[in-house]
Amino acid sequence: MDDPEKIDFRKTLNLPKTDFPMKANLARKEPEFLRFWEDNKIYQRRVEQNRPNSKFILHDGPPYANGHLHIGHALNKILKDIIVKYKLMKGYYAPYVPGWDCHGLPIELQVDKKLGSKKHDMPLPERRKLCRNYAAGFVDIQREEFKRMGGFGDWDTPYLTMSKAYEAATVREFGKFVRKGYVYQGKKPVHWCPSCATALAEAEVEHADKTSPSVYVKFQVSPGEAAKVCAKAVEGSDKNDKKISIVIWTTTPWTLPANLALAVNPAISYVFVRQGQNDILILAENRYKALKDELALALEPLHALKGRDLVGMQAMHPFIERASQVVAADYVSTEDGSGVVHIAPGHGEEDYKIGLEHGLDVYAPVDNRGRFTDGVAEFAGKFVFKANEDIIETLSGLGALLKRQDIVHSYPHCWRCKKPVIFRATEQWFISMAHEDLRSDALKEIDRVEWHPKAGRNRIYGMVEKRPDWCISRQRVWGVPITLLKCKKCGTHTTDEEALESFINHVSEKGADVWFEKESEALLPAGYTCKKCGADEFDKEMDILDVWFDSGVSHAAVLEENERLSWPADLYLEGSDQHRGWFQSSLLASVGTRKSAPYRAVLTHGFIVDGKGRKMSKSDGNVVSPHEIINRQGAEILRLWVSAADYQEDVKISNEILSRLVEAYRKIRNTCRYLLGNLYDFDPAIVFDPSSLPELDRFALSRLNRLIKQVSKAYDSFRFHEVYHLIYSFCVIEMSSFYLDILKDRLYTMAADSKERRGSQWVLYQVLKTLTGLMAPILSFTAEEVHSFTPAAANQSVFLEPFPKVEEALIDEELESDWMRLIDLRDEVNKALEIKRREKFIGNSLEASVTLYLDEDLRDFLGKYSEDLAMIFIVSEARPADLQNPPSDSGLFQGEVKGSKILVLVERSDGKKCQRCWNWRADVKAGDDGQDICARCKEVLAG
RNA sequence: GGGCCUAUAGCUCAGUUGGUUAGAGCGCGCGCCUGAUAAGCGCGAGGUCAGUGGUUCAAAUCCACUUAGGCCCA
């Protein structure tokens, strides 16, 4: 050092050089790339560039425009983005139009909450305007959040279910259902939230524990009946003195005023059993034991009958003058209760069905606030849940109450206000599943669609097979109106083309608000009169459409209306819960009007759970927020997490998982950085004929092309975790620990412009470009960053590049299998070296000279590689020898390669260490400056 | 309670039509290197394939049940 004469060999080497930072600083630098993409319209340019090519349309399921994004949104949108980017790079015309679901109860409730009591004085159009603004606000928020994740798409022109054009399309599609005769009005019990005063969709109901009174109630059998039907049962007792009663059990005493029947299971056995002095009770035989003590029943039942023998019997309502007939129902079980179910057709789904079968009235004497109507004189005006106690008291006073306790059970609650809901028969609008074979056609279509995973088919099939008619009306304000007017004179609805067309025109011009702003007559064409009676005055239908109808028609409102898109979509991609939601509403909306499914394929992902596999909930405190990850580790890590998981099942996320991914990210990044570092002086204009390259390089190219093939296949089948594993393993196994490690000597020590070094640089260049392209759909930020450092990159952005293409000719099976065998040998040599390292016999592997004692087969195989062995093993010398004549060295390593025994002798090289290339060679001599240098290096330095 | 689904090393994933001692990478432990350096390389230890029972010459793989978990419904 102090000697100025001494050459600093380090300076004579071609060491890697790059400004590409090792530290990614993702959270800080990602926004710069976002700006780059936006400023340069990279997505738009790529889409346009692909316009002449075949289309691939991924139709976005609209998230609800309320609240910030959670990790589930991130999973969904990143998966979509990976697909869109892959298809774009593959050359498909794949515009991605994101959308938002803007109408509906949750937003309305948020707005109502803010308004408080002012809500009642506010005209409807104004409340709707507030809802619109609220939704628009969250569309903006969520849009920014999605964009931050690196997603490509038409963010400036998304589809909104509340836009005029979309609302008009919704009205138009509804009109088609009306014209085709699917739509009918009927009384039916629906989940009803008395607090929100609205019918709720299935999806709007959630189950939670509730404490309810559990009561056993006697329904006395009409005296005449007792004698007839029960003659045998009461034989031997003084029948005239005895009261015979059927025992029912219910947890909703408030439904008793609406009781019209009692259901028994015809197949099971019922017993007559004495209670106290004067009572005989009827209940299921296998409930007798459980209830014996509770109800203070006699020790022995008097008699038993099958349920079917009880059918037709008349019982008397305990406190209303009305008969209640015994009917048969297969679903009645004896798991709890008394084996007899009280039936109120207006207050239960099963009850309703049974009522239909027996011609019972759909009776529901409860108003929209959950209060009894005047129909129930003694409880009129009482809120049903409060009336429970009054009813129980009444029953008790009449001696009809057998038992009362409180139980905690799972009960339906309103998803918004979290209060318990009731079943209540109301006037609703329905789409009939039976009309025009809607159900069977939908089922046929399900089998024409490709479902990923396959189980999705069964899931939606089962649901569509069993689902009831679609209740499409809601008694709320924030939505698309049910555009029907009712003639004031004859009550006929305006279902004709002329009226519906007029409504569509009004809505497309002014938006759906027009329905609430204008008078009925102003919505109709001038001079319009009722088609039935000729009257000209109408009442407006004030119900709005189910939001599932809104989003269900997106195929029509978006795919058909946007000329850049096409119908049907190639793919829908949502969480597996959407088999009941959007996949189904879209299917029905499309089959009903077009007799065909709106999608060719449906891909679903699972739900996100914590590291232990539990679902996330605020109360458990295991919620992971995407913002935190983005701000701490970067959106790139979130994207890598999405890609690494097998999303068709539940996806786990935890700090451990994320930190593993951060490490994997660093490895991929560093591999790219190292490639870049070795290309600082490479001119990509130089083209090499691959066949002229050494085997090692051809092996690397073969592996690289195999990688392209495998990765493409994985992308094509949406198996992104395979993409991740393939790319990552390639970086670690093929590159970092093998090819690149071996190449160091060649790259650093040979003449910068030598054929050998340029050849490997050319290979490294191929590897770099390929890796960048392969990872771009997932690691978009990093791929772009690498691309910006890549020498002579043709395009401004990696997303303007074609996806890497396989060169089949470069995949060489034979070469690969030979080199796999060499790698097996290398593994054995490494084990032998490690032992010597532990013995402190060597440190750096270059200090070693290795002799391999091999059988004839292996020696033959190694023949052509004998010159390359030292390079491959990264030792100073390596030579094959005959296994038959091993030395008597006790330190011989015994190994095995594919069943062949081998022996490895590790010695210290007897040469000297070259101060420049660090190899130990016999030809190392002191140079002019007195430093040891090998002949090869001397030649390089001589130029 | 019903429908659909899942369960392989600490983590993420492989395990072809059931067929030799269940694989990979990471992490972990130990070590080397200091010319990828908040890097790189090597070696090693980790699994009764959720459990139980069955079919079979043979089961992680097929069947049944159980347990745990997820989605959807009741």
Side-chain angles (χ1 to χ4, degrees):
Chain A
M1 240 154 279
D2 300 326
D3 185 347
E5 296 296 303
K6 273 195 183 173
I7 300 173
D8 180 358
F9 288 132
R10 208 168 186 282
K11 286 184 180 151
T12 72
L13 298 170
N14 317 300
L15 294 177
K17 240 190 295 197
T18 179
D19 291 329
F20 185 85
M22 181 178 273
K23 199 166 182 321
N25 239 321
L26 291 168
R28 195 167 54 75
K29 278 168 69 179
E30 281 167 352
E32 292 173 24
F33 288 100
L34 293 171
R35 210 170 310 122
F36 168 77
W37 291 327
E38 188 153 353
D39 290 351
N40 295 286
K41 300 193 181 322
I42 300 299
Y43 158 76
Q44 289 81 353
R45 276 161 64 194
R46 183 63 200 233
V47 171
E48 281 318 302
Q49 182 182 317
N50 291 355
R51 194 180 261 279
N53 308 343
S54 27
K55 280 187 176 181
F56 181 88
I57 305 302
L58 166 57
H59 180 41
D60 189 34
Y64 196 65
N66 184 17
H68 289 264
L69 299 187
H70 56 69
I71 194 84
H73 289 117
L75 172 69
N76 177 260
K77 276 293 202 287
I78 290 173
L79 285 172
K80 285 171 178 165
D81 189 50
I82 291 172
I83 292 172
V84 168
K85 281 175 176 155
Y86 171 68
K87 293 292 180 184
L88 282 174
M89 289 180 78
K90 272 279 190 180
Y92 287 91
Y93 182 68
Y96 173 67
V97 179
W100 273 275
D101 196 3
C102 304
H103 293 131
L105 192 59
I107 288 174
E108 189 180 326
L109 283 182
Q110 288 297 318
V111 169
D112 282 356
K113 216 159 81 182
K114 272 192 225 162
L115 283 175
S117 57
K118 274 190 290 183
K119 150 186 157 185
H120 304 290
D121 318 319
M122 190 172 268
L124 223 139
E126 274 185 52
R127 279 171 65 196
R128 285 175 56 89
K129 191 163 183 170
L130 290 176
C131 290
R132 180 174 295 276
N133 292 342
Y134 182 93
F138 272 107
V139 166
D140 286 342
I141 288 171
Q142 293 189 359
R143 172 175 22 216
E144 287 315 306
E145 290 173 339
F146 280 136
K147 283 167 79 173
R148 178 61 187 82
M149 295 173 190
F152 277 7
D154 289 13
W155 295 111
D156 294 335
T157 50
Y159 76 86
L160 305 181
T161 60
M162 65 177 180
S163 72
K164 285 176 193 169
Y166 197 110
E167 286 179 337
T170 307
V171 171
R172 191 185 65 223
E173 293 303 307
F174 169 70
K176 284 183 189 166
F177 274 94
V178 171
R179 294 294 300 148
K180 284 170 177 274
Y182 287 102
V183 179
Y184 71 93
Q185 200 174 20
K187 239 190 169 190
K188 191 172 174 181
V190 291
H191 282 294
W192 185 273
C193 178
S195 163
C196 305
T198 184
L200 296 176
E202 301 279 340
E204 293 169 324
V205 169
E206 48 189 46
H207 289 259
D209 280 349
K210 173 184 184 295
T211 304
S212 299
S214 154
V215 295
Y216 286 88
V217 179
K218 294 195 289 190
F219 274 64
Q220 197 187 334
V221 176
S222 309
E225 295 281 325
K228 260 192 292 172
V229 188
C230 314
K232 262 199 217 152
V234 293
E235 216 170 309
S237 63
D238 190 351
K239 35 191 153 199
N240 294 328
D241 291 347
K242 310 296 179 204
K243 282 199 304 188
I244 302 174
S245 301
I246 296 171
V247 180
I248 65 101
W249 174 69
T250 182
T251 54
T252 51
W254 65 266
T255 59
L256 286 169
N259 170 280
L260 296 179
L262 304 175
V264 295
N265 188 326
I268 66 173
S269 188
Y270 289 82
V271 292
F272 290 66
V273 58
R274 201 183 289 282
Q275 185 214 33
Q277 291 295 310
N278 299 313
D279 280 294
I280 291 173
L281 304 181
I282 304 174
L283 62 149
E285 183 170 26
N286 48 11
R287 294 301 300 161
Y288 166 66
K289 247 191 175 164
L291 296 174
K292 199 169 61 180
D293 293 337
E294 280 192 66
L295 304 185
L297 303 175
L299 289 174
E300 290 295 326
L302 297 168
H303 186 64
L305 278 178
K306 283 286 181 215
R308 69 175 66 89
D309 297 322
L310 297 171
V311 172
M313 221 159 72
Q314 296 283 328
M316 297 183 294
H317 194 283
F319 54 85
I320 293 171
E321 231 169 279
R322 189 168 65 214
S324 185
Q325 67 177 102
V326 177
V327 298
D330 293 330
Y331 79 91
V332 174
S333 82
T334 56
E335 292 200 352
D336 42 28
S338 62
V340 184
V341 174
H342 119 76
I343 300 293
H347 291 298
E349 205 156 19
E350 293 291 347
D351 304 47
Y352 169 73
K353 249 190 243 166
I354 289 168
L356 282 186
E357 282 170 28
H358 295 88
L360 302 174
D361 185 21
V362 187
Y363 179 53
V366 173
D367 71 11
N368 66 352
R369 285 285 169 191
R371 293 169 303 219
F372 281 111
T373 61
D374 295 339
V376 187
E378 55 236 283
F379 308 119
K382 278 233 149 142
F383 183 53
V384 291
F385 289 125
K386 289 227 167 85
N388 270 338
E389 289 308 322
D390 301 285
I391 289 167
I392 291 169
E393 217 169 277
T394 303
L395 289 168
S396 175
L398 294 166
L401 183 73
L402 281 166
K403 167 111 191 144
R404 181 256 154 89
Q405 58 190 151
D406 285 326
I407 62 157
V408 177
H409 60 158
S410 171
Y411 189 86
H413 287 69
C414 175
W415 74 337
R416 285 318 303 171
C417 71
K418 308 293 179 193
K419 290 183 182 146
V421 302
I422 60 175
F423 257 104
R424 171 176 177 260
T426 52
E427 286 289 333
Q428 299 291 344
W429 290 96
F430 294 90
I431 286 176
S432 162
M433 290 297 293
H435 187 73
E436 286 206 358
D437 300 321
L438 178 53
R439 189 189 309 275
S440 52
D441 286 351
L443 292 174
K444 275 182 215 151
E445 281 303 295
I446 286 172
D447 277 329
R448 290 186 54 231
V449 172
E450 233 180 88
W451 299 93
H452 303 280
K454 281 202 162 59
R457 180 263 174 205
N458 289 345
R459 191 161 176 183
I460 193 168
Y461 196 95
M463 288 176 182
V464 170
E465 208 173 17
K466 280 184 235 142
R467 68 159 294 153
D469 286 350
W470 184 359
C471 177
I472 52 167
S473 49
R474 294 291 181 277
Q475 292 68 49
R476 303 300 304 190
V477 304
W478 180 225
V480 177
I482 289 183
T483 47
L484 293 172
L485 299 178
K486 191 158 108 183
C487 172
K488 274 188 179 167
K489 195 170 160 204
C490 73
T492 305
H493 282 99
T494 53
T495 57
D496 58 292
E497 192 82 51
E498 195 192 352
L500 289 167
E501 271 306 314
S502 173
F503 301 153
I504 294 167
N505 290 337
H506 275 97
V507 172
S508 58
E509 201 184 312
K510 305 261 185 189
D513 292 333
V514 75
W515 190 261
F516 305 94
E517 286 161 354
K518 294 201 172 184
E519 294 302 318
S520 303
E521 292 69 23
L523 294 162
L524 289 163
Y528 181 93
T529 54
C530 174
K531 293 294 173 233
K532 187 158 180 216
C533 72
D536 59 359
E537 287 194 308
F538 299 89
D539 281 324
K540 243 189 289 182
E541 173 61 58
M542 291 302 278
D543 281 4
I544 58 167
L545 283 165
D546 176 13
V547 285
W548 288 112
F549 191 88
D550 281 36
S551 56
V553 301
S554 67
H555 67 97
V558 181
L559 295 180
E560 285 183 343
E561 296 293 310
N562 186 331
E563 56 85 24
R564 300 160 70 235
L565 306 179
S566 62
W567 190 98
D570 290 289
L571 187 68
Y572 276 33
L573 164 52
E574 306 298 331
S576 62
D577 57 334
Q578 296 304 326
H579 287 105
R580 172 158 293 273
W582 192 52
F583 299 149
Q584 197 179 139
S585 62
S586 299
L587 178 72
L588 297 178
S590 180
V591 171
T593 51
R594 289 154 179 79
K595 288 291 164 203
S596 177
Y599 36 70
R600 294 198 174 98
V602 173
L603 177 61
T604 55
H605 60 253
F607 277 69
I608 296 169
V609 293
D610 70 11
K612 293 184 192 118
R614 311 279 168 148
K615 71 164 144 195
M616 291 186 175
S617 72
K618 275 181 208 146
S619 55
D620 290 345
N622 59 351
V623 177
V624 176
S625 109
H627 315 104
E628 266 179 49
I629 297 172
I630 289 171
N631 293 333
R632 206 170 49 219
Q633 286 139 328
E636 197 80 315
I637 299 302
L638 201 57
R639 300 180 66 94
L640 195 61
W641 164 74
V642 168
S643 81
D646 181 355
Y647 62 82
Q648 304 214 342
E649 298 170 19
D650 291 328
V651 181
K652 286 200 240 178
I653 192 163
S654 67
N655 284 331
E656 176 174 9
I657 291 167
L658 287 170
S659 54
R660 286 298 95 84
L661 287 163
V662 168
E663 283 155 12
Y665 172 78
R666 282 206 203 102
K667 185 71 190 191
I668 295 171
R669 183 180 178 87
N670 262 328
T671 304
C672 294
R673 179 172 184 267
Y674 186 69
L675 293 170
L676 284 169
N678 281 294
L679 291 168
Y680 67 94
D681 66 339
F682 179 70
D683 176 8
I686 305 171
V687 176
F688 275 80
D689 173 7
S691 64
S692 72
L693 295 169
E695 276 204 17
L696 172 66
D697 302 86
R698 281 192 280 128
F699 172 61
L701 285 174
S702 184
R703 299 298 292 167
L704 182 69
N705 278 280
R706 187 177 294 281
L707 176 75
I708 299 173
K709 205 170 168 175
Q710 291 170 322
V711 166
S712 305
K713 198 178 157 202
Y715 270 122
D716 283 329
S717 45
F718 310 122
R719 299 170 60 86
F720 309 130
H721 66 280
E722 268 178 34
V723 173
Y724 162 78
H725 275 278
L726 284 164
I727 291 177
Y728 182 55
S729 298
F730 183 81
C731 287
V732 174
I733 301 170
E734 316 274 347
M735 289 295 117
S736 191
S737 75
F738 187 71
Y739 185 62
L740 298 180
D741 208 26
I742 292 172
L743 231 47
K744 283 172 188 167
D745 181 70
R746 201 195 286 176
L747 289 167
Y748 298 172
T749 69
M750 294 196 137
D753 206 30
S754 62
K755 199 175 83 210
E756 291 85 350
R757 180 162 179 272
R758 291 298 182 219
S760 14
Q761 280 183 310
W762 183 79
V763 174
L764 295 186
Y765 188 65
Q766 311 307 316
V767 171
L768 178 69
K769 282 201 305 185
T770 301
L771 271 182
T772 314
L774 294 180
M775 70 169 141
I778 295 167
L779 293 172
S780 305
F781 296 97
T782 307
E784 194 67 282
E785 189 180 1
V786 172
H787 183 265
S788 72
F789 279 84
T790 303
N795 290 296
Q796 192 185 10
S797 162
V798 68
F799 295 104
L800 297 174
E801 298 278 345
F803 194 77
K805 239 180 136 248
V806 190
E807 279 195 60
E808 291 284 352
L810 293 180
I811 298 181
D812 186 337
E813 301 276 354
E814 211 181 308
L815 181 76
E816 284 194 25
S817 97
D818 282 353
W819 277 78
M820 291 305 190
R821 210 165 167 195
L822 286 168
I823 288 170
D824 287 342
L825 263 171
R826 187 180 193 252
D827 289 341
E828 295 306 298
V829 169
N830 272 334
K831 283 177 201 163
L833 290 171
E834 186 62 26
I835 290 170
K836 292 296 174 188
R837 227 181 330 251
R838 269 167 209 273
E839 291 170 1
K840 302 288 175 201
F841 182 68
I842 56 164
N844 189 318
S845 60
L846 284 174
E847 293 165 23
S849 167
V850 175
T851 311
L852 305 172
Y853 295 89
L854 310 164
D855 63 20
E856 203 182 337
D857 188 40
L858 270 172
R859 260 181 298 138
D860 282 352
F861 164 69
L862 238 47
K864 66 169 171 170
Y865 296 110
S866 52
E867 291 299 307
D868 300 326
L869 287 180
M871 165 194 79
I872 295 168
F873 301 153
I874 317 187
V875 294
S876 283
E877 290 155 277
R879 67 193 77 78
D882 189 352
L883 184 62
Q884 301 303 319
N885 303 305
S888 53
D889 191 313
S890 59
L892 269 184
F893 174 81
Q894 243 193 68
E896 205 188 279
V897 172
K898 294 263 148 41
S900 305
K901 184 184 157 189
I902 72 162
L903 295 172
V904 184
L905 174 67
V906 178
E907 297 167 298
R908 280 187 72 90
S909 169
D910 51 14
K912 279 167 96 179
K913 181 180 178 181
C914 168
Q915 294 305 306
R916 181 167 178 276
C917 72
W918 294 349
N919 282 288
W920 291 60
R921 301 233 181 281
D923 58 15
V924 170
K925 284 188 201 128
D928 299 337
D929 62 348
Q931 294 189 97
D932 290 337
I933 186 165
C934 71
R936 190 186 58 159
C937 285
K938 197 170 177 187
E939 202 177 313
V940 171
L941 289 183

